[in-house]
Amino acid sequence: FFPPYSDYRKLIYHLKGCQGLRHKGSSPFTSIVSAAKVCGAANESPSVKSLRLLIADQDFSFKAGQWVDFFIPGVSVVGGFSICSSPRLLEQERMIELAVKYTNHPPALWVHNKCTLDSEVAVRVGGEFFFDPQPAEASRNLVLIAGGVGINPLLSILRHAADLLREQANKGRGYEIGTIKLFYSAKNTSELLFKKNILDLVNEFPEKIACSLHVTKQTTQISAELKPYITERRITEKEIRDHISKETLFYICGPPPMTDFFSKQLENNHVPKEHIYFEKWW
């Protein structure tokens, strides 16, 4: 669905010839570079814009929690944005969703100021931060710890967990997941991204999915709908410690001080390193 001689096509040909290109620690071309077209956009907060991309290559795939290298025709800098949708959306509709915070980084500026419906880009999956259990694996609980825009890969994992729960409920097969608890902190409720999506999943699976939303600099009144889930302070080490068990995996994504703090605390509480996953973007 792309014109054969567009700037976008020139970019694809160039990328497929650049086997040595690296970005944010990604390995040289070990995964597919796919054409993608912007087919939806929305403002998730005053500073974050979400994009929905239609993926052209049928062989393109990703694991919940991974990010994409984001190539833009005419922009020399490569973007790196976490996928916030579940793998199931890609399987069913050939789409992925990203959420991009406004910064002066050229790819983020392009997303906020120049990107329009039908804009053409290219994407390639990367990252070792993901949740991809196989059906026969032991059941695990998940604790997801997010700060700010760090919710993106954790929302992908949360949505994937919900898909696994639906598969178990509808077909009685697939991976049997345990409980999922999301701890999510932001400055205020307007910066808590995807609030409705998160609460919809909590309400759909009240026995399995729970969330604790934290705000650190709230100045306005909190809505009645959100109030039961909101705590007006940072996430504490004790709250996380109360969820430690041999069956629990911890996924952390947020500003480096937050990520460092919780990963260190978990290690101090004898959580095996292989049960602690974290992603740093800042």
Side-chain angles (χ1 to χ4, degrees):
F1 50 65
F2 292 94
Y5 301 111
S6 65
D7 286 345
Y8 165 81
R9 280 288 179 208
K10 292 175 192 170
L11 176 69
I12 282 285
Y13 296 145
H14 171 69
L15 289 174
K16 289 187 174 177
C18 289
Q19 294 300 310
L21 182 64
R22 290 176 179 266
H23 171 68
K24 285 192 182 295
S26 63
S27 57
F29 276 88
T30 54
S31 56
I32 291 165
V33 179
S34 176
K37 182 179 284 191
V38 177
C39 57
N43 292 320
E44 296 296 335
S45 81
S47 62
V48 176
K49 184 175 181 179
S50 64
L51 296 183
R52 184 169 270 216
L53 303 179
L54 183 62
I55 303 298
D57 196 313
Q58 294 296 316
D59 293 325
F60 180 95
S61 65
F62 75 98
K63 298 171 183 176
Q66 289 187 300
W67 43 261
V68 290
D69 283 331
F70 192 83
F71 305 100
I72 305 161
V75 177
S76 60
V77 181
V78 180
F81 304 131
S82 290
I83 302 169
C84 54
S85 51
S86 74
R88 190 67 50 90
L89 181 68
L90 178 65
E91 291 165 14
Q92 294 179 341
E93 300 183 38
R94 302 310 306 161
M95 291 184 188
I96 64 171
E97 292 178 355
L98 311 174
V100 181
K101 189 175 178 68
Y102 183 91
T103 68
N104 288 324
H105 190 54
L109 279 177
W110 181 87
V111 167
H112 280 264
N113 297 336
K114 294 186 178 179
C115 176
T116 61
L117 290 181
D118 295 332
S119 286
E120 299 167 356
V121 296
V123 289
R124 180 187 66 197
V125 171
E128 297 300 317
F129 179 86
F130 56 79
F131 178 63
D132 184 39
Q134 301 310 301
E137 288 182 19
S139 180
R140 297 290 190 188
N141 303 320
L142 300 182
V143 172
L144 312 176
I145 307 169
V149 77
I151 187 63
N152 288 347
L154 300 184
L155 182 66
S156 177
I157 291 172
L158 183 65
R159 285 169 159 170
H160 184 47
D163 285 333
L164 294 171
L165 288 169
R166 293 184 191 107
E167 187 174 27
Q168 267 290 324
N170 296 336
K171 301 177 183 176
R173 58 179 172 82
Y175 179 74
E176 190 166 344
I177 196 167
T179 60
I180 305 103
K181 178 65 181 270
L182 170 67
F183 291 92
Y184 178 20
S185 178
K187 288 179 183 177
N188 52 56
T189 53
S190 69
E191 292 291 340
L192 283 169
L193 308 177
F194 306 107
K195 296 182 286 289
K196 184 179 186 307
N197 303 93
I198 292 166
L199 295 185
D200 284 349
L201 293 178
V202 170
N203 290 324
E204 184 179 353
F205 300 103
E207 305 292 316
K208 287 285 192 175
I209 299 178
C211 74
S212 179
L213 306 177
H214 293 248
V215 290
T216 56
K217 296 180 180 177
Q218 185 75 16
T219 55
T220 58
Q221 191 170 350
I222 297 167
S223 69
E225 181 191 20
L226 275 182
K227 209 167 184 64
Y229 304 95
I230 295 283
T231 302
E232 293 192 63
R233 57 164 170 75
R234 295 181 186 278
I235 304 164
T236 66
E237 184 257 340
K238 182 185 182 304
E239 286 170 299
I240 304 304
R241 192 173 63 232
D242 288 345
H243 286 79
I244 292 175
S245 77
K246 290 179 181 178
E247 295 76 37
T248 302
L249 304 178
F250 295 84
Y251 287 82
I252 312 165
C253 189
M258 175 185 178
T259 301
D260 292 342
F261 175 79
F262 284 116
S263 57
K264 184 74 173 169
Q265 292 299 326
L266 288 167
E267 283 187 42
N268 289 346
N269 282 281
H270 311 294
V271 176
K273 281 190 176 183
E274 60 270 22
H275 287 186
I276 306 168
Y277 302 85
F278 54 84
E279 183 83 299
K280 291 184 184 179
W281 279 99
W282 288 265

